[in-house]
Amino acid sequence: MTVTQATATPPLLRRVNAGKLLGVLSNAGVMTGTGLIQATGLTRATVHAVCNDLISMGWVVELDPGRDDTAVGRPSRRFEFNSRAGYVLGIDIGDAKTTVLLADLRGETVAKAGRSVSDVKTPGERTDIVHETIVEALASAGVCDPQVLAAGVGVAAPVDRDGNILVDDEFWRRFDAGLAKRLTELHGWPVLLENDANLAALGEQWRGEGRDVDDLAVLLAGERFGSGLMDSGRLLHGSRGGAGEMVYLKLVEGVGDTHGIARIARDQGAAAVADPAVDTILRTLDGPITAEQVFTAAGSGDEVALGILQHVAGRTARVVATLGILFNPELVVLGGAVAQAAKALLPDIERHLATFTSTPPRVAVSSLGDAIVSVGAVRHALNYVEQHALDLNLKPA
Amino acid sequence: MTVTQATATPPLLRRVNAGKLLGVLSNAGVMTGTGLIQATGLTRATVHAVCNDLISMGWVVELDPGRDDTAVGRPSRRFEFNSRAGYVLGIDIGDAKTTVLLADLRGETVAKAGRSVSDVKTPGERTDIVHETIVEALASAGVCDPQVLAAGVGVAAPVDRDGNILVDDEFWRRFDAGLAKRLTELHGWPVLLENDANLAALGEQWRGEGRDVDDLAVLLAGERFGSGLMDSGRLLHGSRGGAGEMVYLKLVEGVGDTHGIARIARDQGAAAVADPAVDTILRTLDGPITAEQVFTAAGSGDEVALGILQHVAGRTARVVATLGILFNPELVVLGGAVAQAAKALLPDIERHLATFTSTPPRVAVSSLGDAIVSVGAVRHALNYVEQHALDLNLKPA
DNA sequence: GGATCTAAATTTAGACTCTATATTAATCAC
DNA sequence: GTGATTAATATAGAGTCTAAATTTAGATCC
């Protein structure tokens, strides 16, 4: 048998150089030809050839010639990454709320939409709500589907490296398996599923407390503990997407379950009120006790509420300690609904933490608020776009 | 200012293709030109050009032309990875024993040497012993230092991604910091430090129970628990090399410290003997109780010893559970001195494990015995060689 | 032994991308 | 306008690849 030889000419070098140049341009501002020569080590001829390619593809725009550094000589050609060459979506499908962020290719938010979902019954209903929210976000910015290059989607379930949701529960499997496919059918862009805590870690590293930190854990600490783990800038998934799963907490002394800060505060607040022997401001409040009320009461000096927060701090410290010791992140970021309130707990958490390990991680509170997952989802989509930039066809508005 | 242009022509494509071809050849047997064309997708002209390069560099040898598949036509040129183009060392510097493995570039062991070290006092002494063991291994195979391309070295301390040992203890820091530098001075080859449990994970994935497993944890379970974690084929290090550190076990219910299987078995055996009310074969044995004796006694039906092993199994299951849940490996391999004995505990461990998680990892016992770290160290060195192959100068014997 | 067949090696031509250098162009200062 | 300066453009040349034509080494058949 005669072997037929390879047919297509892979313009490998050109591809490599185009990727390199696009990388430089995408996280720098306006750059001159000379600047690119210095940044990439390539020749001027090559830089111009590649830039012309990138311009014709739509990834780069050329500005009027001008001068940045010197005031003499022929003005430089000036190139800029075309951050409006396309858009990405960051979608957080939470239990109670679906959030959609539309961002340009620099990650700047262009539009935002949200829907609170109280009681969703079927996979179809859920998908519909997500779809509506997306349509709203796109419409408010005047962006149409063909301009969207990818969507990152965070779900509260294990997701493996390939974006497959892996849960045993039949209902959720049907819901989630259908979701990505359905959204792609409806809109045409690729849907990249990822675990919500993992996206939170991406978000924190990108635009949160974890900038320049490559070994990072994010602890979502609201109703239930969940964690996203990043080692050397890479998210951990484990074999079935289960990395970061916190069920082991039931084996941890002084923790015992995966209940988060809000839940514990609320439960203990309610328990205190239920005991007539306990004296606390909380009793004077209407309706069922909320976590916020406990934090507020502690802020105004209520001894019982303070005691609850002490307990919560100790408990949280144990959770952080286990993560900190086994994974050795440089930083653990506390996120979720309670993040801001948890700021007051930081000193206590750090104090407890020091009793568990002599090399504790830094602990910080997320400043991304409830956008922590959707911001990470945007980053996830951007990563995909950067990876596949030279294979994507950009469509003008 | 005029920008001077890049000077050197980087033969990037050729490098890429050479790497690709070398990769194919290094884990295949004899290959024909045609076979390489099919494996790489390159043209015959390119394949031959690159092969000629690799032959002149020493990485590949050409055999007499022959035919493998068909019996007609012109015989093929036949190429083979030159597994004796150089050698690597895998060194395990354990508490009690230093083991040195000399392997060829396919990883086949060529020589082996070991030294038991009872009481070493100074960093210098330790280095001397390691050096002696290396010299012995090299001599017994007639290999000289210039033929050695790299050495992987496992130590029982945190090691970061760059091979730096990070311990607070001043003594160990001096010892370890000096070690790599000193060995390189003495022998000339690069020394790649890595944590011993991490190397164990590399070893298991390469030649142990973890073949074809990319998400893997190795639990060294002898005297003290230690773990090496691999996610998607990559070892975890954490920010200060501390990933896999087990001190969190002091927070785990039913565990409480990092004592390993051997230590617990021995301690509980001794405690049983110390209690005159307890009836056990162990009492009839001379000298202090050892872990082996407890396992043997259990094998012969001693109730007390069986009870101890039950306890050890439950305890180990908790350790495996925490790793399995948080990190979600496909497989947890038990390694260390007790590995073979622990085989008997597997059913019990798995039974307990199922009570902690509904998706437990597979659990297996290492078959690499006390070579688990040194085999991993060989793999670590081979990884380095593969990575840097085209930059290394091969020296003939 | 010589013709014939096959598969692979070798040769040759051509395309592409890069570097390096020479030439041209645009702007400012005087 | 002239000269200095800096960058763009054009040109030449070196490498590396693909693709197609040609040659070669052995097996088979008559």
Side-chain angles (χ1 to χ4, degrees), chain A residues 6-9 34 44 48 72-74 76-77:
Chain A
T7 58
T9 298
T34 307
R44 172 163 264 116
H48 280 354
V72 286
R74 175 172 179 167
S76 312
R77 287 179 72 183

mmCIF file of all heavy atoms in Angstrom, chain A residues 6-9 34 44 48 72-74 76-77, chain D residues 4-11 17-20:
data_model
loop_
_atom_site.group_PDB
_atom_site.id
_atom_site.type_symbol
_atom_site.label_atom_id
_atom_site.label_comp_id
_atom_site.label_asym_id
_atom_site.label_seq_id
_atom_site.Cartn_x
_atom_site.Cartn_y
_atom_site.Cartn_z
ATOM 1 N N ALA A 6 0.716 13.885 3.426
ATOM 2 C CA ALA A 6 -0.096 14.941 4.026
ATOM 3 C C ALA A 6 -0.440 15.993 2.965
ATOM 4 O O ALA A 6 0.374 16.277 2.089
ATOM 5 C CB ALA A 6 0.662 15.593 5.171
ATOM 6 N N THR A 7 -1.632 16.532 3.045
ATOM 7 C CA THR A 7 -2.085 17.425 1.983
ATOM 8 C C THR A 7 -2.000 18.900 2.345
ATOM 9 O O THR A 7 -1.393 19.683 1.646
ATOM 10 C CB THR A 7 -3.533 17.092 1.614
ATOM 11 O OG1 THR A 7 -4.320 17.232 2.792
ATOM 12 C CG2 THR A 7 -3.636 15.699 1.081
ATOM 13 N N ALA A 8 -2.616 19.244 3.466
ATOM 14 C CA ALA A 8 -2.735 20.674 3.775
ATOM 15 C C ALA A 8 -1.433 21.240 4.316
ATOM 16 O O ALA A 8 -0.705 20.587 5.057
ATOM 17 C CB ALA A 8 -3.848 20.898 4.782
ATOM 18 N N THR A 9 -1.139 22.449 3.921
ATOM 19 C CA THR A 9 0.021 23.143 4.461
ATOM 20 C C THR A 9 -0.377 23.857 5.749
ATOM 21 O O THR A 9 -1.149 24.799 5.700
ATOM 22 C CB THR A 9 0.539 24.204 3.484
ATOM 23 O OG1 THR A 9 0.951 23.544 2.306
ATOM 24 C CG2 THR A 9 1.699 24.955 4.068
ATOM 25 N N THR A 34 6.718 49.389 16.299
ATOM 26 C CA THR A 34 7.976 49.228 17.019
ATOM 27 C C THR A 34 7.767 48.583 18.382
ATOM 28 O O THR A 34 8.538 47.720 18.795
ATOM 29 C CB THR A 34 8.651 50.595 17.191
ATOM 30 O OG1 THR A 34 8.745 51.195 15.902
ATOM 31 C CG2 THR A 34 10.024 50.440 17.786
ATOM 32 N N ARG A 44 10.139 43.586 11.936
ATOM 33 C CA ARG A 44 9.086 44.513 11.547
ATOM 34 C C ARG A 44 8.251 43.942 10.406
ATOM 35 O O ARG A 44 7.025 44.044 10.400
ATOM 36 C CB ARG A 44 9.689 45.851 11.145
ATOM 37 C CG ARG A 44 8.718 46.818 10.548
ATOM 38 C CD ARG A 44 9.244 48.235 10.535
ATOM 39 N NE ARG A 44 8.782 48.987 11.681
ATOM 40 C CZ ARG A 44 9.552 49.475 12.614
ATOM 41 N NH1 ARG A 44 10.842 49.259 12.587
ATOM 42 N NH2 ARG A 44 9.045 50.159 13.614
ATOM 43 N N HIS A 48 4.248 43.434 10.786
ATOM 44 C CA HIS A 48 3.265 44.086 9.909
ATOM 45 C C HIS A 48 2.433 43.063 9.162
ATOM 46 O O HIS A 48 1.211 43.206 9.039
ATOM 47 C CB HIS A 48 3.976 45.015 8.924
ATOM 48 C CG HIS A 48 4.336 46.326 9.551
ATOM 49 N ND1 HIS A 48 3.945 46.671 10.823
ATOM 50 C CD2 HIS A 48 5.056 47.372 9.104
ATOM 51 C CE1 HIS A 48 4.407 47.872 11.114
ATOM 52 N NE2 HIS A 48 5.092 48.321 10.078
ATOM 53 N N VAL A 72 10.055 62.951 17.216
ATOM 54 C CA VAL A 72 10.676 63.095 15.894
ATOM 55 C C VAL A 72 10.486 61.813 15.074
ATOM 56 O O VAL A 72 10.101 60.791 15.602
ATOM 57 C CB VAL A 72 12.185 63.397 16.023
ATOM 58 C CG1 VAL A 72 12.395 64.820 16.466
ATOM 59 C CG2 VAL A 72 12.824 62.409 16.983
ATOM 60 N N GLY A 73 10.777 61.916 13.838
ATOM 61 C CA GLY A 73 10.730 60.751 12.969
ATOM 62 C C GLY A 73 9.349 60.470 12.418
ATOM 63 O O GLY A 73 8.355 61.114 12.757
ATOM 64 N N ARG A 74 9.315 59.494 11.548
ATOM 65 C CA ARG A 74 8.051 59.144 10.910
ATOM 66 C C ARG A 74 7.088 58.540 11.939
ATOM 67 O O ARG A 74 7.488 57.690 12.744
ATOM 68 C CB ARG A 74 8.333 58.108 9.812
ATOM 69 C CG ARG A 74 7.097 57.573 9.154
ATOM 70 C CD ARG A 74 7.462 56.706 7.970
ATOM 71 N NE ARG A 74 6.279 56.168 7.349
ATOM 72 C CZ ARG A 74 6.265 55.587 6.163
ATOM 73 N NH1 ARG A 74 7.390 55.476 5.476
ATOM 74 N NH2 ARG A 74 5.167 55.111 5.662
ATOM 75 N N SER A 76 4.428 56.258 13.799
ATOM 76 C CA SER A 76 4.237 54.817 13.760
ATOM 77 C C SER A 76 2.832 54.465 13.295
ATOM 78 O O SER A 76 1.887 55.232 13.485
ATOM 79 C CB SER A 76 4.432 54.233 15.162
ATOM 80 O OG SER A 76 5.589 54.721 15.758
ATOM 81 N N ARG A 77 2.737 53.291 12.705
ATOM 82 C CA ARG A 77 1.401 52.705 12.591
ATOM 83 C C ARG A 77 0.997 52.318 14.009
ATOM 84 O O ARG A 77 1.817 51.893 14.832
ATOM 85 C CB ARG A 77 1.428 51.447 11.726
ATOM 86 C CG ARG A 77 1.605 51.706 10.255
ATOM 87 C CD ARG A 77 1.635 50.408 9.468
ATOM 88 N NE ARG A 77 0.344 49.751 9.371
ATOM 89 C CZ ARG A 77 0.149 48.570 8.772
ATOM 90 N NH1 ARG A 77 1.173 47.920 8.242
ATOM 91 N NH2 ARG A 77 -1.052 48.027 8.703
ATOM 92 P P DA D 4 22.270 66.090 8.763
ATOM 93 O OP1 DA D 4 23.580 66.428 9.367
ATOM 94 O OP2 DA D 4 22.176 65.147 7.635
ATOM 95 O "O5'" DA D 4 21.288 65.617 9.917
ATOM 96 C "C5'" DA D 4 20.896 66.545 10.918
ATOM 97 C "C4'" DA D 4 19.809 65.923 11.776
ATOM 98 O "O4'" DA D 4 18.543 66.001 11.081
ATOM 99 C "C3'" DA D 4 20.039 64.448 12.106
ATOM 100 O "O3'" DA D 4 19.764 64.243 13.481
ATOM 101 C "C2'" DA D 4 19.060 63.715 11.209
ATOM 102 C "C1'" DA D 4 17.915 64.729 11.106
ATOM 103 N N9 DA D 4 17.131 64.610 9.876
ATOM 104 C C8 DA D 4 17.612 64.452 8.602
ATOM 105 N N7 DA D 4 16.672 64.392 7.690
ATOM 106 C C5 DA D 4 15.496 64.508 8.417
ATOM 107 C C6 DA D 4 14.140 64.520 8.039
ATOM 108 N N6 DA D 4 13.733 64.393 6.782
ATOM 109 N N1 DA D 4 13.227 64.650 9.009
ATOM 110 C C2 DA D 4 13.637 64.774 10.280
ATOM 111 N N3 DA D 4 14.875 64.788 10.759
ATOM 112 C C4 DA D 4 15.769 64.647 9.764
ATOM 113 P P DT D 5 20.059 62.787 14.132
ATOM 114 O OP1 DT D 5 20.458 63.004 15.520
ATOM 115 O OP2 DT D 5 20.889 62.000 13.191
ATOM 116 O "O5'" DT D 5 18.592 62.176 14.126
ATOM 117 C "C5'" DT D 5 17.548 62.900 14.765
ATOM 118 C "C4'" DT D 5 16.238 62.144 14.611
ATOM 119 O "O4'" DT D 5 15.710 62.335 13.272
ATOM 120 C "C3'" DT D 5 16.360 60.633 14.804
ATOM 121 O "O3'" DT D 5 15.347 60.216 15.695
ATOM 122 C "C2'" DT D 5 16.152 60.072 13.412
ATOM 123 C "C1'" DT D 5 15.208 61.100 12.811
ATOM 124 N N1 DT D 5 15.184 61.141 11.324
ATOM 125 C C2 DT D 5 13.977 61.299 10.690
ATOM 126 O O2 DT D 5 12.935 61.420 11.272
ATOM 127 N N3 DT D 5 14.049 61.324 9.313
ATOM 128 C C4 DT D 5 15.205 61.201 8.524
ATOM 129 O O4 DT D 5 15.147 61.252 7.306
ATOM 130 C C5 DT D 5 16.425 61.039 9.270
ATOM 131 C C7 DT D 5 17.721 60.894 8.535
ATOM 132 C C6 DT D 5 16.365 61.008 10.618
ATOM 133 P P DT D 6 15.605 58.910 16.632
ATOM 134 O OP1 DT D 6 15.426 59.325 18.036
ATOM 135 O OP2 DT D 6 16.842 58.241 16.176
ATOM 136 O "O5'" DT D 6 14.373 58.001 16.224
ATOM 137 C "C5'" DT D 6 13.053 58.559 16.237
ATOM 138 C "C4'" DT D 6 12.223 57.933 15.166
ATOM 139 O "O4'" DT D 6 12.676 58.346 13.870
ATOM 140 C "C3'" DT D 6 12.267 56.397 15.127
ATOM 141 O "O3'" DT D 6 11.024 55.899 15.625
ATOM 142 C "C2'" DT D 6 12.483 56.044 13.657
ATOM 143 C "C1'" DT D 6 12.257 57.379 12.949
ATOM 144 N N1 DT D 6 13.034 57.545 11.689
ATOM 145 C C2 DT D 6 12.371 57.854 10.531
ATOM 146 O O2 DT D 6 11.167 58.009 10.481
ATOM 147 N N3 DT D 6 13.167 57.979 9.421
ATOM 148 C C4 DT D 6 14.539 57.829 9.367
ATOM 149 O O4 DT D 6 15.141 57.967 8.314
ATOM 150 C C5 DT D 6 15.164 57.508 10.618
ATOM 151 C C7 DT D 6 16.655 57.323 10.662
ATOM 152 C C6 DT D 6 14.406 57.381 11.719
ATOM 153 P P DA D 7 10.804 54.328 15.812
ATOM 154 O OP1 DA D 7 9.998 54.134 17.023
ATOM 155 O OP2 DA D 7 12.084 53.626 15.638
ATOM 156 O "O5'" DA D 7 9.901 54.010 14.554
ATOM 157 C "C5'" DA D 7 8.785 54.871 14.279
ATOM 158 C "C4'" DA D 7 8.285 54.612 12.882
ATOM 159 O "O4'" DA D 7 9.274 55.081 11.919
ATOM 160 C "C3'" DA D 7 8.050 53.137 12.566
ATOM 161 O "O3'" DA D 7 6.740 52.988 12.055
ATOM 162 C "C2'" DA D 7 9.110 52.794 11.525
ATOM 163 C "C1'" DA D 7 9.371 54.143 10.872
ATOM 164 N N9 DA D 7 10.708 54.234 10.294
ATOM 165 C C8 DA D 7 11.903 54.105 10.932
ATOM 166 N N7 DA D 7 12.949 54.238 10.154
ATOM 167 C C5 DA D 7 12.405 54.472 8.912
ATOM 168 C C6 DA D 7 12.985 54.704 7.643
ATOM 169 N N6 DA D 7 14.298 54.724 7.427
ATOM 170 N N1 DA D 7 12.149 54.901 6.606
ATOM 171 C C2 DA D 7 10.836 54.877 6.827
ATOM 172 N N3 DA D 7 10.160 54.675 7.971
ATOM 173 C C4 DA D 7 11.020 54.478 8.979
ATOM 174 P P DA D 8 6.168 51.574 11.705
ATOM 175 O OP1 DA D 8 4.802 51.525 12.233
ATOM 176 O OP2 DA D 8 7.147 50.527 12.054
ATOM 177 O "O5'" DA D 8 6.078 51.671 10.116
ATOM 178 C "C5'" DA D 8 5.263 52.684 9.548
ATOM 179 C "C4'" DA D 8 5.447 52.709 8.044
ATOM 180 O "O4'" DA D 8 6.843 52.961 7.744
ATOM 181 C "C3'" DA D 8 5.085 51.400 7.341
ATOM 182 O "O3'" DA D 8 4.297 51.696 6.194
ATOM 183 C "C2'" DA D 8 6.433 50.789 6.967
ATOM 184 C "C1'" DA D 8 7.322 52.006 6.818
ATOM 185 N N9 DA D 8 8.720 51.752 7.162
ATOM 186 C C8 DA D 8 9.212 51.403 8.378
ATOM 187 N N7 DA D 8 10.512 51.252 8.411
ATOM 188 C C5 DA D 8 10.907 51.525 7.117
ATOM 189 C C6 DA D 8 12.175 51.538 6.485
ATOM 190 N N6 DA D 8 13.313 51.266 7.127
ATOM 191 N N1 DA D 8 12.226 51.844 5.177
ATOM 192 C C2 DA D 8 11.076 52.124 4.549
ATOM 193 N N3 DA D 8 9.824 52.152 5.029
ATOM 194 C C4 DA D 8 9.819 51.836 6.324
ATOM 195 P P DT D 9 3.675 50.529 5.402
ATOM 196 O OP1 DT D 9 2.472 51.084 4.772
ATOM 197 O OP2 DT D 9 3.610 49.346 6.270
ATOM 198 O "O5'" DT D 9 4.743 50.244 4.261
ATOM 199 C "C5'" DT D 9 5.022 51.260 3.297
ATOM 200 C "C4'" DT D 9 6.148 50.797 2.388
ATOM 201 O "O4'" DT D 9 7.353 50.643 3.154
ATOM 202 C "C3'" DT D 9 5.918 49.450 1.697
ATOM 203 O "O3'" DT D 9 5.912 49.694 0.293
ATOM 204 C "C2'" DT D 9 7.082 48.586 2.145
ATOM 205 C "C1'" DT D 9 8.107 49.613 2.581
ATOM 206 N N1 DT D 9 9.096 49.169 3.607
ATOM 207 C C2 DT D 9 10.431 49.158 3.285
ATOM 208 O O2 DT D 9 10.862 49.497 2.199
ATOM 209 N N3 DT D 9 11.264 48.739 4.311
ATOM 210 C C4 DT D 9 10.894 48.350 5.582
ATOM 211 O O4 DT D 9 11.719 48.003 6.394
ATOM 212 C C5 DT D 9 9.473 48.390 5.845
ATOM 213 C C7 DT D 9 8.967 47.990 7.192
ATOM 214 C C6 DT D 9 8.650 48.794 4.857
ATOM 215 P P DA D 10 5.686 48.467 -0.698
ATOM 216 O OP1 DA D 10 4.997 49.012 -1.877
ATOM 217 O OP2 DA D 10 5.114 47.329 0.030
ATOM 218 O "O5'" DA D 10 7.183 48.113 -1.120
ATOM 219 C "C5'" DA D 10 8.037 49.144 -1.568
ATOM 220 C "C4'" DA D 10 9.396 48.575 -1.949
ATOM 221 O "O4'" DA D 10 10.138 48.278 -0.730
ATOM 222 C "C3'" DA D 10 9.341 47.268 -2.737
ATOM 223 O "O3'" DA D 10 10.307 47.350 -3.781
ATOM 224 C "C2'" DA D 10 9.700 46.196 -1.714
ATOM 225 C "C1'" DA D 10 10.633 46.954 -0.782
ATOM 226 N N9 DA D 10 10.653 46.469 0.603
ATOM 227 C C8 DA D 10 9.581 46.246 1.416
ATOM 228 N N7 DA D 10 9.900 45.829 2.622
ATOM 229 C C5 DA D 10 11.281 45.776 2.596
ATOM 230 C C6 DA D 10 12.239 45.410 3.560
ATOM 231 N N6 DA D 10 11.919 45.014 4.797
ATOM 232 N N1 DA D 10 13.540 45.469 3.211
ATOM 233 C C2 DA D 10 13.854 45.868 1.974
ATOM 234 N N3 DA D 10 13.045 46.238 0.981
ATOM 235 C C4 DA D 10 11.755 46.171 1.362
ATOM 236 P P DT D 11 10.418 46.191 -4.843
ATOM 237 O OP1 DT D 11 10.724 46.823 -6.124
ATOM 238 O OP2 DT D 11 9.251 45.313 -4.693
ATOM 239 O "O5'" DT D 11 11.716 45.407 -4.365
ATOM 240 C "C5'" DT D 11 12.905 46.135 -4.072
ATOM 241 C "C4'" DT D 11 13.976 45.191 -3.565
ATOM 242 O "O4'" DT D 11 13.774 44.929 -2.161
ATOM 243 C "C3'" DT D 11 14.012 43.831 -4.256
ATOM 244 O "O3'" DT D 11 15.319 43.598 -4.735
ATOM 245 C "C2'" DT D 11 13.588 42.853 -3.177
ATOM 246 C "C1'" DT D 11 14.051 43.572 -1.913
ATOM 247 N N1 DT D 11 13.345 43.190 -0.668
ATOM 248 C C2 DT D 11 14.078 42.893 0.447
ATOM 249 O O2 DT D 11 15.292 42.913 0.472
ATOM 250 N N3 DT D 11 13.328 42.554 1.550
ATOM 251 C C4 DT D 11 11.958 42.493 1.625
ATOM 252 O O4 DT D 11 11.404 42.178 2.670
ATOM 253 C C5 DT D 11 11.243 42.823 0.432
ATOM 254 C C7 DT D 11 9.750 42.780 0.419
ATOM 255 C C6 DT D 11 11.952 43.149 -0.659
ATOM 256 P P DC D 17 10.672 21.224 8.634
ATOM 257 O OP1 DC D 17 10.100 20.944 9.955
ATOM 258 O OP2 DC D 17 11.867 20.497 8.156
ATOM 259 O "O5'" DC D 17 9.534 21.073 7.526
ATOM 260 C "C5'" DC D 17 8.220 21.471 7.847
ATOM 261 C "C4'" DC D 17 7.480 21.886 6.594
ATOM 262 O "O4'" DC D 17 8.378 22.620 5.733
ATOM 263 C "C3'" DC D 17 7.017 20.740 5.706
ATOM 264 O "O3'" DC D 17 5.740 20.289 6.124
ATOM 265 C "C2'" DC D 17 6.913 21.405 4.345
ATOM 266 C "C1'" DC D 17 7.872 22.575 4.418
ATOM 267 N N1 DC D 17 9.023 22.471 3.476
ATOM 268 C C2 DC D 17 8.851 22.900 2.158
ATOM 269 O O2 DC D 17 7.743 23.335 1.817
ATOM 270 N N3 DC D 17 9.888 22.817 1.298
ATOM 271 C C4 DC D 17 11.060 22.342 1.725
ATOM 272 N N4 DC D 17 12.075 22.297 0.850
ATOM 273 C C5 DC D 17 11.263 21.892 3.064
ATOM 274 C C6 DC D 17 10.223 21.971 3.902
ATOM 275 P P DT D 18 5.196 18.945 5.523
ATOM 276 O OP1 DT D 18 4.065 18.563 6.373
ATOM 277 O OP2 DT D 18 6.331 18.021 5.316
ATOM 278 O "O5'" DT D 18 4.657 19.351 4.082
ATOM 279 C "C5'" DT D 18 3.632 20.332 3.971
ATOM 280 C "C4'" DT D 18 3.257 20.538 2.508
ATOM 281 O "O4'" DT D 18 4.448 20.941 1.769
ATOM 282 C "C3'" DT D 18 2.727 19.291 1.822
ATOM 283 O "O3'" DT D 18 1.584 19.663 1.061
ATOM 284 C "C2'" DT D 18 3.874 18.830 0.933
ATOM 285 C "C1'" DT D 18 4.605 20.127 0.630
ATOM 286 N N1 DT D 18 6.071 19.977 0.412
ATOM 287 C C2 DT D 18 6.633 20.372 -0.782
ATOM 288 O O2 DT D 18 5.987 20.839 -1.708
ATOM 289 N N3 DT D 18 7.991 20.193 -0.876
ATOM 290 C C4 DT D 18 8.822 19.682 0.094
ATOM 291 O O4 DT D 18 10.027 19.577 -0.096
ATOM 292 C C5 DT D 18 8.172 19.281 1.319
ATOM 293 C C7 DT D 18 8.984 18.707 2.430
ATOM 294 C C6 DT D 18 6.838 19.441 1.429
ATOM 295 P P DA D 19 0.667 18.530 0.409
ATOM 296 O OP1 DA D 19 -0.687 19.093 0.297
ATOM 297 O OP2 DA D 19 0.908 17.266 1.127
ATOM 298 O "O5'" DA D 19 1.285 18.386 -1.046
ATOM 299 C "C5'" DA D 19 1.432 19.557 -1.849
ATOM 300 C "C4'" DA D 19 1.993 19.163 -3.202
ATOM 301 O "O4'" DA D 19 3.440 19.080 -3.107
ATOM 302 C "C3'" DA D 19 1.524 17.792 -3.706
ATOM 303 O "O3'" DA D 19 1.304 17.883 -5.095
ATOM 304 C "C2'" DA D 19 2.692 16.882 -3.383
ATOM 305 C "C1'" DA D 19 3.861 17.825 -3.620
ATOM 306 N N9 DA D 19 5.088 17.461 -2.922
ATOM 307 C C8 DA D 19 5.217 16.863 -1.699
ATOM 308 N N7 DA D 19 6.458 16.663 -1.329
ATOM 309 C C5 DA D 19 7.202 17.172 -2.382
ATOM 310 C C6 DA D 19 8.590 17.266 -2.615
ATOM 311 N N6 DA D 19 9.499 16.833 -1.747
ATOM 312 N N1 DA D 19 8.992 17.834 -3.768
ATOM 313 C C2 DA D 19 8.063 18.267 -4.627
ATOM 314 N N3 DA D 19 6.731 18.233 -4.526
ATOM 315 C C4 DA D 19 6.370 17.666 -3.373
ATOM 316 P P DA D 20 0.446 16.753 -5.812
ATOM 317 O OP1 DA D 20 -0.794 17.396 -6.262
ATOM 318 O OP2 DA D 20 0.401 15.541 -4.961
ATOM 319 O "O5'" DA D 20 1.337 16.416 -7.085
ATOM 320 C "C5'" DA D 20 2.062 17.471 -7.709
ATOM 321 C "C4'" DA D 20 3.328 16.925 -8.321
ATOM 322 O "O4'" DA D 20 4.331 16.732 -7.290
ATOM 323 C "C3'" DA D 20 3.168 15.554 -9.002
ATOM 324 O "O3'" DA D 20 3.751 15.613 -10.289
ATOM 325 C "C2'" DA D 20 3.919 14.606 -8.091
ATOM 326 C "C1'" DA D 20 4.999 15.512 -7.548
ATOM 327 N N9 DA D 20 5.608 15.060 -6.307
ATOM 328 C C8 DA D 20 4.975 14.590 -5.196
ATOM 329 N N7 DA D 20 5.794 14.238 -4.227
ATOM 330 C C5 DA D 20 7.051 14.501 -4.748
ATOM 331 C C6 DA D 20 8.340 14.348 -4.209
ATOM 332 N N6 DA D 20 8.583 13.877 -2.997
ATOM 333 N N1 DA D 20 9.380 14.711 -4.989
ATOM 334 C C2 DA D 20 9.138 15.184 -6.217
ATOM 335 N N3 DA D 20 7.962 15.380 -6.824
ATOM 336 C C4 DA D 20 6.954 15.014 -6.029
#
